[in-house]
Amino acid sequence: MTDSAAIGVGDGTRAVRAGLPEPVKHEPTLPGPVFAAHFHLPGDPTGGYAYARDENPTWTHLERAIGELEAPDAGDDVETLVFASGMAAISAVLFSQLRAGDAVVLPDDGYQVLPLVSEQLTAYGIEVRTAPTGGDAQLDVLDGARLLWIETPSNPGLDVCDVRRLAEAARARGALVAVDNTLATPLGQRPLELGADFAVASGTKMLTGHGDLLLGYVACRDAEQAASVRRWRKIVGAIPGPMEAWLAHRSLATLQLRADRQNANALALAEALRDRPEVTGLRYPGLPEDPSYAIASRQMRRFGCVVSFTLPTRARAERFLQALRLVDDATSFGGVRSSAERRRRWGGDDVPEGFIRFSAGAEDPDDLVADVLRALDEAAG
Ligand SMILES: *Cc1c(COP(=O)(O)O)cnc(C)c1O
């Protein structure tokens, strides 16, 4: 599928063909990973592949693919850059766009590495302001800021903010907007279409979905900003290996299948947990009674595979995790195998001791729900 063919087709069609080169007789559909540090380069370097910290053909295919998913109607107007991890991508945007004396607004309930990033930004003379994801509190601290960083839905609290509204407010004040799109994936929401300047994500999670690689990306609307993010990637060298890039591209083909199955499982699970007396603080943006539902259903096309809830005590949560048979006790989320963890064990997130972040996998829904309900019963006994 060429760029123009990415327009006007469904998500599944787009996902299976995303980023594939034009067919060449006797060549594979998705060319294998190109393992090269340098490329033949006689004479003057006049563009094209030269040194693999800057560009690699395997990334090129993947970058096109992610660009088609994040902004199917934008063609070549959106530039996508892949990174070694989600954090590499996040840092690339923040540290390439901000200068000493600038102010940035970060979520105070976002990804657990953001406080470390915040310390580093502060050390470089950048003013860090924070606001919670839900409730539009970002608006109160936006004046004079250079960049607004949004994470929606937030990890692990699953609050949602109105990207379009915040992006308009930021634009009116001359601030750039970046959205961490990790949890939703581009099939769940398209931040650039909602007015953001950058869609940034960890490809480690749902995007690639098999729990076997780390990856990050930045999709940029503006060519100059893209150039400065690219420059940052070159300086820091936080690049993905060709094997990871290729595996990621291969996994994109099933993104729609995985997302639909896993999101349906997350909803089924949330509905089952709703009736359990020992469960409090149940959150899933796709549950109609969830505080995030109204905004989420306006800006999201899929609600993600993460459900969060709280069990009465730490011990009860630990017994629950231990009793699960189909669910791995592991961090991260978005994989085809369900996983769950007691988030408080890391110490970072501001959540109760019994708080569970649950990532629904691609198991049969009845099996998954039965396993969870049985584990809850066992944890109670
Ligand atoms: C995991 C995660 C990241 C960091 O991604 P890595 O690939 O682990 O570096 C950033 N943001 C969110 C919301 C995440 O869940």
Side-chain angles (χ1 to χ4, degrees):
M1 181 157 68
T2 57
D3 277 358
S4 56
I7 299 170
V9 300
D11 287 338
T13 309
R14 189 175 293 117
V16 296
R17 303 209 64 89
L20 298 182
E22 290 296 332
V24 176
K25 193 172 180 180
H26 304 309
E27 292 293 322
T29 313
L30 174 64
V34 174
F35 296 107
H38 56 262
F39 301 85
H40 289 296
L41 189 69
D44 290 332
T46 49
Y49 301 108
Y51 188 57
R53 189 181 352 92
D54 298 326
E55 269 184 302
N56 170 301
T58 311
W59 304 352
T60 306
H61 297 312
L62 176 61
E63 287 170 342
R64 285 210 186 111
I66 295 171
E68 284 171 22
L69 297 176
E70 280 285 356
D73 301 333
D76 292 334
D77 293 344
V78 164
E79 192 169 336
T80 304
L81 294 152
V82 289
F83 286 84
S85 66
M87 280 316 303
I90 289 172
S91 296
V93 171
L94 290 169
F95 291 99
S96 69
Q97 302 305 310
L98 297 168
R99 305 279 178 274
D102 285 345
V104 60
V105 178
L106 299 181
D108 61 18
D109 52 355
Y111 184 59
Q112 61 166 353
V113 182
L114 288 184
L116 284 179
V117 173
S118 170
E119 265 177 42
Q120 195 62 51
L121 290 164
T122 307
Y124 288 157
I126 294 152
E127 180 197 344
V128 177
R129 305 172 185 170
T130 59
T133 296
D136 280 344
Q138 297 93 337
L139 294 175
D140 299 333
V141 288
L142 206 49
D143 275 343
R146 164 92 184 120
L147 177 72
L148 168 64
W149 189 273
I150 291 171
E151 186 181 307
T152 181
S154 60
N155 169 18
L158 303 179
D159 271 328
V160 164
C161 56
D162 189 333
V163 177
R164 201 183 287 281
R165 177 172 151 83
L166 290 172
E168 274 167 20
R171 193 164 302 269
R173 292 165 172 84
L176 295 168
V177 178
V179 177
D180 184 329
N181 206 26
T182 302
L183 205 142
T185 83
L187 293 198
Q189 81 193 347
R190 297 186 193 138
L192 299 178
E193 291 179 2
L194 296 169
D197 300 282
F198 303 96
V200 187
S202 168
T204 312
K205 316 286 170 58
M206 176 79 143
L207 187 79
T208 60
H210 293 74
D212 52 10
L213 62 90
L214 278 92
L215 189 90
Y217 69 85
V218 181
C220 314
R221 186 211 289 284
D222 177 90
E224 248 174 69
Q225 281 146 13
S228 65
V229 174
R230 183 183 286 280
R231 180 173 171 278
W232 182 265
R233 184 175 69 177
K234 182 185 181 80
I235 295 170
V236 175
I239 56 166
M243 191 69 203
E244 282 74 13
W246 183 82
L247 279 171
H249 198 160
R250 183 186 194 269
S251 303
L252 287 184
T254 56
L255 178 58
Q256 185 258 356
L257 289 171
R258 288 185 282 110
D260 282 358
R261 176 59 164 254
Q262 293 179 235
N263 297 0
N265 279 355
L267 181 61
L269 192 65
E271 284 168 348
L273 291 172
R274 185 162 62 178
D275 303 327
R276 296 291 300 208
E278 73 270 54
V279 167
T280 55
L282 174 67
R283 296 299 304 269
Y284 183 63
L287 210 51
E289 64 266 37
D290 191 276
S292 293
Y293 183 78
I295 301 172
S297 50
R298 257 186 281 138
Q299 72 191 12
M300 299 180 75
R301 297 181 306 131
R302 292 177 174 83
F303 298 108
C305 65
V306 180
V307 176
S308 63
F309 57 95
T310 300
L311 294 176
T313 61
R314 169 180 174 161
R316 183 96 167 244
E318 284 170 346
R319 287 201 302 274
F320 165 68
L321 292 171
Q322 230 165 22
L324 290 164
R325 289 184 197 138
L326 298 179
V327 183
D328 298 331
D329 185 346
T331 194
S332 198
F333 60 84
V336 287
R337 285 171 286 275
S338 288
S339 64
E341 70 171 333
R342 197 178 67 80
R343 217 31 215 175
R344 191 67 203 162
R345 65 177 171 175
W346 296 102
D349 300 324
D350 183 20
V351 293
E353 285 289 346
F355 182 98
I356 303 283
R357 185 181 70 188
F358 196 107
S359 172
E363 298 85 2
D364 288 293
D366 292 349
D367 294 341
L368 183 60
V369 169
D371 193 46
V372 168
L373 295 182
R374 184 194 46 73
L376 283 174
D377 287 341
E378 278 184 33

